[in-house]
């Protein structure tokens, strides 16, 4: 069994991006610039955005944080999106979700110029991804593909079972794993909360991508010997053992599943650290105007 160390891969990729930014700036080109819009003071969103801004600094990007109070109008937010679309100094930007209930997230996402949509949430990017055109791929699926590549995991002709059908992980993951390229070329099965006898499918799987959000859902007797298991679960469970008062639980019963696997990602330290790095890679692409 080989542990997929997302934390160390993420550190390595940050160094690679930082090196590329140095070269960009040395030849007199513009430093990539990521802007983030944060509405309100939700604890989780504050932490995520602070991490994104800090990572921009680490890799040498310019970053801008634009804050609004919870009561900002949809109209004002849409105006800001338009302004960022038109600002040539901003290469890419994100609007941190969730937004307050009086604002339509879909309307805001669709207002973003897809060429600056480094989250990859715009329907244009989602559509382009599904037919294999240049696009921004959302952070989690993109991070998982990068892990498969960096560990030289074979995917061609394999049976990949995706557990979960969310718009930001399950659906894009299934589309990417069946793409006619590496990593891809898989036969893909998508299982979800209404699937009957899930183990019938998981036992057939060479690669399992678990993204249902159900702690320790995947048990040893559901996995075939030698499978590759990617755990996307990050459920916060109360814990007396940690300073923060909670611990992260994956969708995989790691201790019993790991001995059967050829490769497995831990939680934490597997897929999680790759997500911000994917956003940075997308921003680098945006800076190069690689998506048009
Ligand atoms: N909220 C939780 N995850 C994300 C993300 O990847 N992007 C944005 N914009 N908001 C989020």
């Amino acid at each position: 069994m080989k542990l997929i160390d997302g934390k160390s891969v993420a550190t390595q990729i940050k160094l690679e991006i930082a090196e590329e930014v140095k070269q960009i700036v040395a030849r007199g080109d513009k430093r990539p610039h990521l802007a983030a819009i944060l509405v309100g003071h939700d604890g989780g969103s504050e932490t995520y955005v602070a991490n994104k801004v800090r990572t921009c600094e680490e890799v040498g990007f310019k970053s801008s944080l634009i804050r609004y109070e919870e009561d900002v109008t949809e109209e004002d937010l849409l105006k800001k999106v338009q302004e960022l679309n038109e600002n040539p100094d901003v290469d890419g930007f994100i609007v941190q979700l969730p937004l307050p209930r009086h604002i339509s997230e879909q309307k805001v996402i669709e207002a973003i110029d897809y060429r600056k949509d480094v989250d990859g949430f715009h329907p244009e990017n989602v559509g382009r991804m599904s037919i294999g055109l240049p696009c921004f791929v959302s952070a989690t699926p993109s991070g998982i593909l990068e892990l498969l590549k960096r560990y030289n995991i074979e995917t061609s002709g394999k049976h990949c079972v995706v557990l979960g059908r969310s718009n930001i992980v399950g659906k894009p993951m299934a589309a990417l794993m069946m793409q006619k390229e590496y990593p891809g070329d898989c036969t893909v099965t998508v299982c979800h909360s209404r699937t009957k006898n899930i183990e019938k499918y998981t036992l057939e799987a060479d690669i399992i991508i678990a993204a249902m959000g159900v702690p320790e859902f995947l048990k040893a007797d559901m996995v075939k010997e030698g499978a590759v298991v990617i755990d996307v679960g990050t459920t916060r469970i109360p814990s007396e053992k940690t300073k923060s008062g909670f611990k992260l639980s994956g969708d995989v019963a790691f201790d019993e599943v790991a001995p059967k696997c050829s490769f497995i990602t831990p939680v934490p330290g597997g897929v999680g650290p790759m997500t911000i790095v994917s956003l940075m890679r997308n921003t680098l692409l945006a800076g190069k105007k690689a998506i048009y």
Side-chain angles (χ1 to χ4, degrees):
M1 185 273 291
K2 203 161 177 199
L3 199 64
I4 298 180
D5 185 349
K7 199 164 167 219
S8 98
V9 173
T11 303
Q12 175 61 32
I13 294 175
K14 279 191 267 183
L15 292 173
E16 291 166 15
I17 296 174
E19 185 52 40
E20 196 166 340
V21 173
K22 260 193 214 155
Q23 289 170 14
I24 289 169
V25 174
R27 64 171 181 260
D29 288 339
K30 191 175 114 26
R31 191 181 287 283
H33 179 187
L34 174 70
I37 300 179
L38 174 58
V39 178
H41 299 274
D42 171 75
S45 293
E46 291 267 5
T47 308
Y48 288 137
V49 171
N51 282 339
K52 290 170 186 176
V53 168
R54 198 191 56 232
T55 312
C56 279
E57 272 167 35
E58 279 175 38
V59 300
F61 291 166
K62 178 177 172 183
S63 67
S64 304
L65 175 55
I66 300 144
R67 305 193 67 126
Y68 286 101
E69 290 303 323
E70 196 81 22
D71 60 358
V72 64
T73 64
E74 186 178 275
E75 192 189 353
D76 281 352
L77 200 57
L78 289 170
K79 253 192 232 156
K80 177 53 80 176
V81 167
Q82 200 49 39
E83 203 182 298
L84 294 175
N85 283 342
E86 288 164 9
N87 182 347
D89 190 56
V90 173
D91 297 296
F93 65 99
I94 63 159
V95 181
Q96 187 66 26
L97 305 177
L99 291 171
R101 284 232 299 272
H102 66 280
I103 298 174
S104 158
E105 288 185 351
Q106 204 50 38
K107 218 166 165 179
V108 171
I109 289 169
E110 288 186 31
I112 299 172
D113 184 328
Y114 77 91
R115 291 163 297 192
K116 293 194 178 189
D117 167 41
V118 284
D119 259 333
F121 291 169
H122 192 288
E124 174 86 26
N125 278 317
V126 178
R128 284 170 161 255
M129 185 266 302
S130 75
I131 57 172
L133 290 177
C135 65
F136 292 113
V137 175
S138 58
T140 303
S142 161
I144 292 170
L145 293 188
E146 194 60 29
L147 287 176
L148 295 172
K149 270 192 222 169
R150 300 247 170 179
Y151 279 83
N152 292 316
I153 292 171
E154 256 187 72
T155 58
S156 181
K158 305 288 183 191
H159 183 195
C160 174
V161 171
V162 178
L163 303 178
R165 54 177 161 182
S166 70
N167 287 341
I168 60 169
V169 185
K171 280 183 203 153
M173 208 61 241
L176 291 161
M177 293 306 283
M178 71 168 111
Q179 210 86 265
K180 202 170 179 174
E181 63 183 10
Y182 179 77
D185 286 323
C186 284
T187 304
V188 177
T189 302
V190 180
C191 300
H192 47 76
S193 53
R194 298 287 185 274
T195 303
K196 294 194 176 89
N197 303 323
I198 281 195
E199 64 281 0
K200 189 173 102 190
Y201 304 97
T202 55
L203 276 168
E204 289 278 313
D206 304 303
I207 301 169
I208 300 175
I209 299 174
M212 300 186 109
V214 181
E216 309 212 344
F217 175 83
L218 192 75
K219 302 280 196 288
D221 60 5
M222 299 166 75
V223 178
K224 119 176 142 181
E225 204 64 50
V228 175
V229 172
I230 308 290
D231 190 349
V232 190
T234 50
T235 309
R236 286 178 175 208
I237 305 222
S239 167
E240 285 166 9
K241 289 192 195 141
T242 64
K243 218 166 46 179
S244 59
F246 69 85
K247 72 178 186 98
L248 281 186
S249 173
D251 285 1
V252 177
F254 184 90
D255 291 345
E256 57 177 271
V257 172
K260 295 184 88 173
C261 296
S262 55
F263 292 89
I264 186 167
T265 62
V267 174
V271 174
M274 294 297 292
T275 56
I276 287 194
V277 163
S278 301
L279 178 66
M280 299 298 126
R281 291 192 325 141
N282 279 350
T283 304
L284 191 60
L285 286 176
K288 294 182 193 166
K289 306 289 174 252
I291 313 298
Y292 45 82

